[in-house]
Amino acid sequence: MKTNPYNLNFGREPAQILNRYPGIYSIIDSFESDNPVQTYMLTGIRGSGKTVMMSGISKYFDKLEDWIVIDLTPDIDLIKSFNAELGVSPGIATHLKLDGVAISLPGLQLNVKGAEPITDERVAAMKMLEAAKKKNI
């Protein structure tokens, strides 16, 4: 009798681990290329290792100084969560040097050089991302 290589119980390691490294490094290489793919969709049956694969990719980029990795969940507002996480990333104000930008959102207060605060969450996200891009992050 053949056994199912997938674990249908969330969070449990299956008896047989599938090699995901070729897929992980293919995605990593494409993100690091001169013309990167901006979106990937990982699909598969429950227990096939989608979260494990995404975690491996996330851990790789989290170790690099010119990347900021933010974990988002659909349980809470994505823009609010993104802004809050980006605003508290280690050394974000130092790395981004948001000259003349002030952001005031629930859970996030960032004020540099006394500018008028940005209170719209989408505008705040765009301003922080533009500043990060200027610093090659």
Side-chain angles (χ1 to χ4, degrees), residues 60-75:
Y60 173 85
F61 284 110
D62 199 32
K63 293 177 184 175
L64 303 178
E65 290 183 19
D66 56 344
W67 280 80
I68 297 170
V69 175
I70 297 175
D71 293 326
L72 299 174
T73 65
D75 298 341

Side-chain angles (χ1 to χ4, degrees), residues 20-64:
R20 291 177 192 85
Y21 291 112
I24 288 174
Y25 289 118
S26 173
I27 293 171
I28 288 171
D29 289 344
S30 72
F31 279 139
E32 291 183 320
S33 73
D34 292 335
N35 190 16
V37 173
Q38 295 182 354
T39 306
Y40 275 94
M41 181 180 290
L42 300 179
T43 63
I45 65 170
R46 180 178 171 190
S48 63
K50 300 175 298 291
T51 303
V52 172
M53 185 175 194
M54 190 63 233
S55 294
I57 295 165
S58 177
K59 286 176 185 175
Y60 173 85
F61 284 110
D62 199 32
K63 293 177 184 175
L64 303 178

Side-chain angles (χ1 to χ4, degrees), residues 2-136:
K2 291 186 179 182
T3 60
N4 185 349
Y6 304 109
N7 185 345
L8 301 180
N9 297 320
F10 184 75
R12 292 215 162 171
E13 188 174 298
Q16 181 180 359
I17 302 292
L18 304 175
N19 182 2
R20 291 177 192 85
Y21 291 112
I24 288 174
Y25 289 118
S26 173
I27 293 171
I28 288 171
D29 289 344
S30 72
F31 279 139
E32 291 183 320
S33 73
D34 292 335
N35 190 16
V37 173
Q38 295 182 354
T39 306
Y40 275 94
M41 181 180 290
L42 300 179
T43 63
I45 65 170
R46 180 178 171 190
S48 63
K50 300 175 298 291
T51 303
V52 172
M53 185 175 194
M54 190 63 233
S55 294
I57 295 165
S58 177
K59 286 176 185 175
Y60 173 85
F61 284 110
D62 199 32
K63 293 177 184 175
L64 303 178
E65 290 183 19
D66 56 344
W67 280 80
I68 297 170
V69 175
I70 297 175
D71 293 326
L72 299 174
T73 65
D75 298 341
I76 55 177
D77 183 284
L78 294 177
I79 299 285
K80 286 180 183 178
S81 177
F82 176 79
N83 285 341
E85 291 290 325
L86 184 58
V88 298
S89 293
I92 190 71
T94 303
H95 289 300
L96 301 181
K97 296 180 183 167
L98 295 171
D99 294 328
V101 175
I103 298 171
S104 180
L105 300 169
L108 173 64
Q109 184 76 30
L110 184 60
N111 188 354
V112 180
K113 292 195 178 179
E116 281 295 312
I118 297 168
T119 56
D120 181 80
E121 293 171 11
R122 293 178 193 274
V123 173
M126 293 307 298
K127 290 288 186 185
M128 286 191 284
L129 289 172
E130 286 170 9
K133 187 174 183 179
K134 286 179 186 176
K135 296 294 177 187
N136 294 320

